[in-house]
Amino acid sequence: MNWEKFYSERAKGLRASEIRELLKMTQKPDIISFGGGLPNPESYDIKHVRECIDYVMETKAKKALQYGTTEGYSRLREFLAEYMTEKGYDSSPENIIITAGSQQGLDLVSKVFIDKDDTVITESPSYLGGLSAFRAYLARIEAVPLQDDGMDLDLLEERLRSEKKPKFIYVVSTYQNPSGICMSSEKRKRIAEMSLEYDVPIIEDNPYSELAFSSEPPEPILAHSDGNVLYLGTFSKTFSPGIRVAWICGPSEIIKKLVIAKQSTDLCSNVLSQRMVYEYCKRGYWKENIKKIREMYRRKRDIMLKAMEEYFPEGVKWTRPEGGLFLWVTLPEYIDTREMFKDAIKNKVAYVVGTAFAGGKNTMRLNFSYPSDEEIVEGIKRLGEVIKSRMK
Ligand SMILES: Cc1ncc(COP(=O)(O)O)c(C=O)c1O
């Protein structure tokens, strides 16, 4: 049977990501890869996770193995409502839905808001998984460039003044993936005001704010909102991406709509995971683990920055992220990082090309959380050689 002729309009547009194909090449054991975006396995607090799983299975197994409510485990929602209140947004459990990762959150948001040919405003560069989710619902993406302190809000305002209103503005506000850039507090206030003034909601995706290296992260845009911001948070970067537990926080009427949208997606998120995460948080292990991860990633970021100073030629620029997992490199305009990729693989080092994130042809993303300290130094040295060979 020719199945293709039965595809929906949406499915016809779905393509295997070229980037994932490129990343497959980086998985050979002798290649040092700055390409992935994985947490370091050393960040997993296995002893305490086991303690929490054992507790749930010994005392609550019959509930943990049962279906749960679509909005999520009530105790975890209570915990997260308190957490979001601490972050500056007065919340109760009605403001929280648990999702299977923030990626599901992005899919549900798209399902609820996007019609074919709607416009979504994103940063440039932006998170690939976000762009894919919006495109899967046939949105048109309009990208507004990032500056050192976040999205260029003058350009955004120009866009918002035009006649065809976008459906929403998508912002990865803190230690952004892919650039590592953090939106300043002034811009957070201003974008929240602009969203109200021009009547366009903001989707704030904030998976990295817990990973602040020196000071505390700025307050979320959500903290400046008045019913106009929806916030996505996740346990993927601070606990485990494999357990797939994340949350969306925002006005209760939108949460209710998302709950209905989620019912037809998966009925409920993994109940055992949610109960285990709740135990982990309640016992104070989450906050302790966050401290440990911050130190580890700060060290790795410092090692990478130092190696770049030493091995990258003049004319190359990079961001100095204050948190998160990534930094962003800009080469001279005449160097195309996609073409350079084969040289890099030959030299046994890998990165992700910036165009994957709607960034410039001469840009790339480097991940510093996953490789070992030694691999970071050696990999940057190899990458430095590759870049030098392309310099005029
Ligand atoms: C900006 C951003 N949003 C969402 C996600 C998805 O995270 P999760 O594991 O919670 O689905 C990621 C993961 O890399 C991300 O970088």
Side-chain angles (χ1 to χ4, degrees), residues 37 99-106 127-130 170 172 176-178 205-208 232-237 240-242 244-246 325-326 365:
T99 57
S102 281
Q103 190 61 42
Q104 184 184 57
L106 291 169
Y127 169 56
L128 177 60
Y170 172 65
V172 183
Q176 198 235 26
N177 179 5
D205 188 6
N206 205 11
Y208 301 105
L232 286 82
T234 181
F235 287 99
S236 285
K237 316 294 171 182
S240 144
R244 311 306 296 139
V245 179
L325 310 184
F326 307 105
R365 185 190 77 177

Side-chain angles (χ1 to χ4, degrees), residues 312 315-317 329-337 340 351 361-364 387 391:
F312 278 11
V316 179
K317 285 188 277 178
V329 179
T330 306
L331 303 181
E333 293 225 343
Y334 58 85
I335 301 183
D336 182 332
T337 53
M340 196 179 79
Y351 53 83
K361 278 191 168 160
N362 56 330
T363 58
M364 63 172 111
I387 297 172
M391 298 285 284

Side-chain angles (χ1 to χ4, degrees), residues 19-20 23 33-38 125-128 176-180 208 304 325-330 337 350-357 363-368 383:
I19 302 316
R20 304 225 183 274
L23 279 176
S33 179
F34 300 127
L38 304 183
S126 183
Y127 169 56
L128 177 60
Q176 198 235 26
N177 179 5
S179 67
Y208 301 105
M304 186 173 267
L325 310 184
F326 307 105
L327 57 78
W328 188 251
V329 179
T330 306
T337 53
Y351 53 83
V352 187
V353 298
T355 45
F357 312 99
T363 58
M364 63 172 111
R365 185 190 77 177
L366 300 184
N367 164 265
F368 52 79
L383 191 53

Side-chain angles (χ1 to χ4, degrees), residues 68 183 379:
M183 184 180 259

Side-chain angles (χ1 to χ4, degrees), residues 140-159:
R140 290 170 191 271
I141 308 287
E142 276 186 31
V144 175
L146 273 177
Q147 298 170 313
D148 291 346
D149 58 350
M151 191 186 260
D152 184 334
L153 296 189
D154 294 335
L155 284 184
L156 174 67
E157 187 154 30
E158 245 172 62
R159 172 61 187 86

